[in-house]
Amino acid sequence: MRRTANAVIGGFISFGLAPSDLRLLTTRGAKSGFLRTTPVSLVENTQGRFLVGAYGETGWVRNLRKDGFGTLRHGGWIELVSVVEVGPERAAPVLREYLDHARAVMVSGQFTAAPDSPDDDFAREAATHPVFEIVRSTTVRL
């Protein structure tokens, strides 16, 4: 079911018809070396820009951990990004904001913490929901 939903959402994102915080992330497969693309949510706040692994240890998470870079696409824009995985203390407010977002209802069952839980609960969530900070980016127009 998720694969079908990702394909539909991916189509909307690639044509720029999806909300601005949704992107298509393309990474190189950690084992295969093939390019892999999946929809992700971008969290932007005063602390920076982040990608959240809402479903835990997925393929794109392993790929980003291995290479540290990928591309984000929305409509006719492609952004080349370098990322670093952040620790639990830095991840906690990002996870709270992510879960508090309206569309997070689709992934809320993946989290044990609720949006009103204390920061310590979100810091513990970082062990199963990796957060990557975008530390460098270059945007190009197609």
Side-chain angles (χ1 to χ4, degrees):
M1 180 78 163
R2 188 177 347 150
R3 194 175 242 171
T4 303
N6 282 349
V8 170
I9 292 168
F12 285 117
I13 296 170
S14 65
F15 288 107
L17 301 174
S20 62
D21 64 332
L22 292 179
R23 301 285 194 281
L24 285 177
L25 171 67
T26 301
T27 57
R28 184 166 308 282
K31 292 182 182 178
S32 70
F34 294 119
L35 295 179
R36 306 290 183 198
T37 302
T38 189
V40 295
S41 290
L42 179 66
V43 175
E44 293 185 84
N45 58 30
T46 58
Q47 303 301 311
R49 300 172 68 220
F50 303 89
L51 300 174
V52 175
Y55 293 101
E57 186 82 15
T58 59
W60 72 263
V61 168
R62 289 187 294 276
N63 298 343
L64 277 183
R65 280 183 179 149
K66 181 176 184 270
D67 285 342
F69 64 89
T71 63
L72 295 173
R73 179 175 178 190
H74 189 273
W77 294 93
I78 293 182
E79 182 179 7
L80 309 168
V81 296
S82 295
V83 299
V84 294
E85 191 168 1
V86 299
E89 296 78 25
R90 184 135 166 88
V94 175
L95 290 170
R96 176 187 304 282
E97 184 173 341
Y98 179 81
L99 194 57
D100 199 32
H101 197 278
R103 272 189 303 283
V105 102
M106 297 184 299
V107 297
S108 61
Q110 302 292 320
F111 289 80
T112 57
D116 58 349
S117 295
D119 286 343
D120 289 343
D121 290 354
F122 283 99
R124 282 190 290 279
E125 290 281 354
T128 54
H129 302 288
V131 176
F132 295 88
E133 182 175 9
I134 297 172
V135 293
R136 191 172 51 231
S137 71
T138 303
T139 305
V140 294
R141 177 91 169 128
L142 292 178

